[in-house]
Amino acid sequence: MRRVGALGLVAALAAILVSPLPAHAEDASGAVTYNAGNGYSFEKLSHPTVGTSQPDGIVDYQGNGAVAVPGADGNTANNEGDRGQSYTWAAASYGDWLYVGTCYAAMGNTLTLMNGTLGDSFDAETMRLTLEAMFNGTFFYGQQKEDGTADKDSGGILVKINTKTGETKLLLSDSLNGVAPLFRNAVSYKGKLYFCGSVRTNGGKSGLPAVYEIDPKTDEFKVVYKGLSSMQDYGAAYKQGISTGIRGMCVHDGQLVISNVGKDAAGNFVSTILTSSDPSKGQDSFTEIANSGTLFNYRLIFNLNATA
């Protein structure tokens, strides 16, 4: 490991360890609550009776990569929490429901990315032991079986949570329907919800940059835009250090505006900006208005820049 990088990481982790934590309490139902003292109070929705500093993660890990929502029939680990699902990366609301996409095992995956694609280099076992010591054995790299060997990670998910009752429904996951999203942004447009990010499907090891549409009236979903057409394209892009974790998306002047990763006329990988006034119609409804080639060769398409 480079000394400067190691010292910086240790300093950042040490700051996390000594940061003051707010005081929490429980209400009559046993749910964890927090009073901010300024007229705002908060009540824990995910695993509401599980205290602070305990595994949460919105859903429960079942083993072999499977997850289930708390209270679901057949949930073999009710209220134990999937520790890898503790980082919300994208969220959008519709009525009483909050739609939440997670970044699976964010810190562990970031370290894996640093130790390779981002150009850093360190001994993974030394890093693991260091973090276990600093976090008193609680740092999460990935799922393990009872014998200590690695288990299959569950990957990113999309759930919806009722903000009044806490009811949780699983919408997308590798174990449910073969879709493991790492959504990084979400917007509402013309009565539909749109999530964008890198999405693995059908057991694939890597995700393609895609925009998904969710109909909140039925929770039906579909891909409305996919930036790379194949895993061969993904492999070629990866070798060039190109990021597929798209995040730019907004509504402007009555249109849905998205970012993505694609190819120009010469076959070079470029970041793209596209618009559509009717994204439900799919890929052909989008018009490219700019790409990294026409925007001064801006380099945020590369992992080294995009992750910074």
Side-chain angles (χ1 to χ4, degrees):
M1 180 194 297
R2 292 202 297 264
R3 181 173 177 79
V4 174
L7 292 176
L9 178 60
V10 169
L13 295 175
I16 295 173
L17 293 176
V18 300
S19 298
L21 296 175
H24 294 77
E26 293 185 0
D27 63 15
S29 69
V32 176
T33 61
Y34 168 64
N35 190 332
N38 58 359
Y40 289 92
S41 60
F42 302 84
E43 180 175 325
K44 192 167 180 281
L45 288 176
S46 59
H47 299 99
T49 60
V50 177
T52 57
S53 300
Q54 300 299 315
D56 194 325
I58 303 179
V59 293
D60 298 320
Y61 182 71
Q62 309 294 291
N64 195 32
V67 295
V69 299
D73 291 340
N75 186 336
T76 60
N78 196 46
N79 273 346
E80 291 185 13
D82 182 345
R83 295 177 61 203
Q85 306 290 2
S86 60
Y87 186 4
T88 297
W89 233 7
S93 63
Y94 182 85
D96 293 336
W97 294 91
L98 181 65
Y99 289 70
V100 176
T102 65
C103 173
Y104 187 79
M107 292 181 69
N109 281 331
T110 298
L111 288 169
T112 300
L113 192 62
M114 288 171 61
N115 192 20
T117 304
L118 297 183
D120 210 332
S121 178
F122 54 79
D123 182 78
E125 182 64 11
T126 299
M127 177 64 78
R128 184 185 68 79
L129 293 173
T130 300
L131 291 168
E132 283 192 0
M134 292 186 68
F135 284 80
N136 197 26
T138 64
F139 188 84
F140 182 79
Y141 254 115
Q143 295 290 353
Q144 291 185 333
K145 300 177 181 178
E146 291 185 0
D147 62 5
T149 59
D151 203 345
K152 182 181 179 181
D153 290 332
S154 52
I157 61 173
L158 179 69
V159 298
K160 72 174 190 178
I161 306 169
N162 190 293
T163 58
K164 291 184 177 179
T165 67
E167 180 186 1
T168 303
K169 294 183 178 180
L170 184 63
L171 303 179
L172 299 177
S173 77
D174 188 35
S175 61
L176 176 68
N177 45 28
V179 181
L182 292 178
F183 289 136
R184 305 193 70 171
N185 199 357
V187 297
S188 176
Y189 179 65
K190 293 186 176 181
K192 305 292 177 61
L193 303 179
Y194 293 89
F195 287 80
C196 69
S198 178
V199 183
R200 290 191 299 110
T201 58
N202 301 318
K205 293 183 178 181
S206 303
L208 296 177
V211 178
Y212 274 61
E213 177 188 271
I214 310 294
D215 185 343
K217 294 180 180 178
T218 63
D219 289 334
E220 293 180 347
F221 65 90
K222 64 181 180 180
V223 183
V224 295
Y225 197 91
K226 185 183 293 184
L228 298 176
S229 60
S230 68
M231 291 309 299
Q232 287 74 21
D233 276 348
Y234 171 87
Y238 179 84
K239 289 179 181 178
Q240 295 181 32
I242 290 173
S243 170
T244 59
I246 58 173
R247 69 194 82 175
M249 187 168 58
C250 68
V251 175
H252 176 71
D253 198 21
Q255 299 212 33
L256 180 67
V257 184
I258 67 171
S259 68
N260 219 290
V261 179
K263 287 184 174 181
D264 63 15
N268 300 312
F269 292 109
V270 291
S271 57
T272 57
I273 300 177
L274 308 103
T275 63
S276 174
S277 59
D278 194 1
S280 293
K281 291 184 177 179
Q283 195 107 349
D284 291 340
S285 73
F286 286 86
T287 300
E288 181 180 312
I289 61 172
N291 62 50
S292 50
T294 61
L295 289 175
F296 316 106
N297 290 314
Y298 202 43
R299 290 182 57 83
L300 280 186
I301 189 174
F302 293 96
N303 270 309
L304 189 60
N305 304 100
T307 311

